[in-house]
Amino acid sequence: MFELPVNERLKLELLEPGHASELYMLVDANRDHLGTWMPWVENTKSTEDILNFIKSGLNNYAMRNGFQLGLRFEQKLAGVLGLHYIDWDTGATEMGYWLDKKLEGKGLMTAAVSALLEKLFNHYKLNRVEIRANPANTRSRAIPKRLGFLEEGMLRQTGMNAGERFDMVVYGLLKEEWQLRRED
Ligand SMILES: CC(C)(COP(=O)(O)OP(=O)(O)OC[C@H]1O[C@@H](n2cnc3c(N)ncnc32)[C@H](O)[C@@H]1OP(=O)(O)O)[C@@H](O)C(=O)NCCC(=O)NCCS
């Protein structure tokens, strides 16, 4: 299935049912780290829940409406990077990601996002990639900033986590901006 090498130690691979227990163990080991920012974590209570997430990602992949990829660092599952949807009419998509707490600070997600952007703009011929983050999520915001995304605005009270509403800051990157950056 879909695999994307990032460098000699890191690759992206389409998540499949056989990854469910490995992925569940990773989520379970990272509950506090992930749950602060992502509402689905508290509802993920079993391998079965993860299996449903993987199947939904595969269904999106089959429908050409997004996908969920595992980051595999030195053979071990290290996190997830996915597209929530693909709008082929406008050529737009939105990315989401998370990483094992133990592997933060090495540039893994920035490298993975960068490799995926290359694929999205040059192979899939998409035109716009969006990333949304809670304004307090400094590490998440640093990724689009590092990769040349423009901070486009704030969506007020668009998120909900543990009963609390929160704003989301929107970053966008266009194909022409990515290509100009690659030529530098
Ligand atoms: C968001 C998240 C993936 C960011 O992880 P991260 O490790 O900060 O991001 P990267 O893997 O790109 O690594 C960047 C870090 O590695 C460092 N780094 C080392 N080598 C690097 C390289 N070659 N290139 C880029 N950064 C490098 C950077 O300086 C940065 O560290 P710093 O913030 O201490 O300066 C992670 O914090 C996470 O999973 N958070 C919880 C879930 C979440 O919030 N998801 C997003 C919801 S919107």
Side-chain angles (χ1 to χ4, degrees):
M1 281 277 230
F2 176 2
E3 264 198 17
L4 183 61
V6 177
N7 56 45
E8 54 291 343
R9 298 162 82 193
L10 178 66
K11 69 175 178 180
L12 291 165
E13 61 186 19
L14 193 66
L15 285 169
E16 294 178 21
H19 299 126
S21 72
E22 190 184 10
L23 185 56
Y24 179 69
M25 282 193 285
L26 193 61
V27 170
D28 203 39
N30 279 279
R31 276 191 187 279
D32 292 345
H33 166 57
L34 304 178
T36 308
W37 308 114
M38 297 184 300
W40 53 265
V41 178
E42 67 170 338
N43 298 322
T44 303
K45 297 183 174 127
S46 64
T47 307
E48 192 66 24
D49 292 332
I50 285 288
L51 193 56
N52 288 335
F53 161 75
I54 290 175
K55 284 180 179 168
S56 152
L58 285 174
N59 190 46
N60 280 348
Y61 184 63
M63 305 292 284
R64 300 180 76 237
N65 189 31
F67 45 71
Q68 296 296 334
L69 307 175
L71 270 79
R72 197 160 287 278
F73 178 64
E74 294 179 338
Q75 325 300 338
K76 286 198 189 130
L77 201 57
V80 172
L81 169 60
L83 301 185
H84 300 316
Y85 66 86
I86 300 174
D87 182 336
W88 292 99
D89 292 336
T90 61
T93 189
E94 182 191 338
M95 276 185 184
Y97 42 68
W98 62 264
L99 198 58
D100 183 358
K101 176 85 185 148
K102 293 201 295 289
L103 295 172
E104 280 184 329
K106 296 175 183 293
L108 297 183
M109 192 55 79
T110 300
V113 169
S114 177
L116 186 56
L117 287 171
E118 194 65 30
K119 178 116 181 153
L120 296 178
F121 289 132
N122 292 330
H123 179 75
Y124 286 96
K125 311 286 183 206
L126 296 184
N127 184 58
R128 172 187 163 83
V129 177
E130 192 174 302
I131 292 176
R132 298 181 179 188
N134 184 319
N137 195 343
T138 314
R139 276 193 172 274
S140 180
R141 295 180 67 171
I143 292 172
K145 283 187 198 165
R146 217 176 267 130
L147 292 171
F149 283 61
L150 182 69
E151 186 176 319
E152 296 178 331
M154 192 72 78
L155 298 174
R156 294 174 307 148
Q157 299 193 0
T158 194
M160 174 82 100
N161 194 1
E164 298 283 330
R165 294 187 195 284
F166 61 91
D167 299 343
M168 290 195 106
V169 54
V170 180
Y171 293 89
L173 181 71
L174 304 181
K175 180 177 184 164
E176 65 200 56
E177 294 163 345
W178 178 251
Q179 284 173 338
L180 277 176
R181 193 179 156 90
R182 304 295 279 162
E183 283 161 19
D184 279 351

